[in-house]
Amino acid sequence: MKQSFPKSEKLCSQIAISHTFKKGDKYFKYPFRMYVVPNNSETTKVLISVPKKMQKLAVSRNRLKRLTREAYRLHKNSYINSEKQSCNIAFVYLSKEIVNSEIIHQSIEFLLKKIKTE
C-alpha cells in the first residue's frame, strides 16, 4: 500500500478544525494530545499542530511537524481503515522539550491504535 500524505488527507477547513477541537474525543500520550471526531468525507483528514507557546523557534516547530507527519505517514495504513468510517484527527504537541523521533513514532502508533480499537 502506498505510504503518502497527500493534500486530500490534510484537515484545512476552519469549521472542521474547530468542530474537531470542540466535539472530538481526547486521547493523550506524551508528547501529544489527539482529538478525533467522525466526518462525512471518504478520507481521514489530519491536522498537526505545534503551538508557539510550547516551541518558540520556528525551526523547532517545523522539525517537530515534519517528524510527526513522517510518523503518521508510516503508521496510518496499519491502523486506519478506509472501509470503516473516516474521521478528522488533530495531533497537538504538548511538550516544551524537543523529543527524538523514536518517541514521536511510538506516541503516534499508540494513538492510532486507540482509534482502531474504538
Side-chain angles (χ1 to χ4, degrees):
M1 207 181 260
K2 192 174 179 187
Q3 292 181 326
S4 63
F5 189 46
K7 173 86 170 146
S8 62
E9 290 183 15
K10 293 181 178 140
L11 184 58
C12 299
S13 164
Q14 202 62 43
I15 296 167
I17 291 170
S18 63
H19 178 71
T20 302
F21 283 113
K22 286 179 187 168
K23 305 277 192 219
D25 297 329
K26 298 178 190 97
Y27 302 99
F28 180 79
K29 173 77 166 111
Y30 178 82
F32 292 101
R33 174 170 288 138
M34 179 179 70
Y35 297 85
V36 181
V37 68
N39 68 12
N40 299 340
S41 177
E42 63 278 347
T43 60
T44 295
K45 296 186 179 275
V46 176
L47 167 79
I48 297 167
S49 172
V50 181
K52 195 173 187 178
K53 194 172 188 178
M54 294 297 151
Q55 296 293 322
K56 299 293 184 204
L57 297 177
V59 174
S60 303
R61 290 193 304 273
N62 290 337
R63 175 173 171 73
L64 289 167
K65 285 189 279 189
R66 190 169 56 249
L67 290 172
T68 306
R69 272 195 310 267
E70 179 72 3
Y72 173 75
R73 185 184 69 79
L74 292 174
H75 296 294
K76 71 175 180 177
N77 290 335
S78 306
Y79 301 108
I80 294 178
N81 276 346
S82 53
E83 301 90 40
K84 269 182 114 177
Q85 187 179 14
S86 58
C87 54
N88 291 342
I89 304 171
F91 292 106
V92 181
Y93 189 83
L94 295 176
S95 175
K96 294 219 180 253
E97 295 92 39
I98 298 173
V99 298
N100 63 9
S101 62
E102 187 177 312
I103 293 172
I104 289 176
H105 278 267
Q106 290 171 353
S107 299
I108 295 294
E109 188 174 12
F110 176 84
L111 291 169
L112 290 175
K113 279 181 190 174
K114 286 276 196 192
I115 295 173
K116 186 177 184 181
T117 57
E118 297 202 4

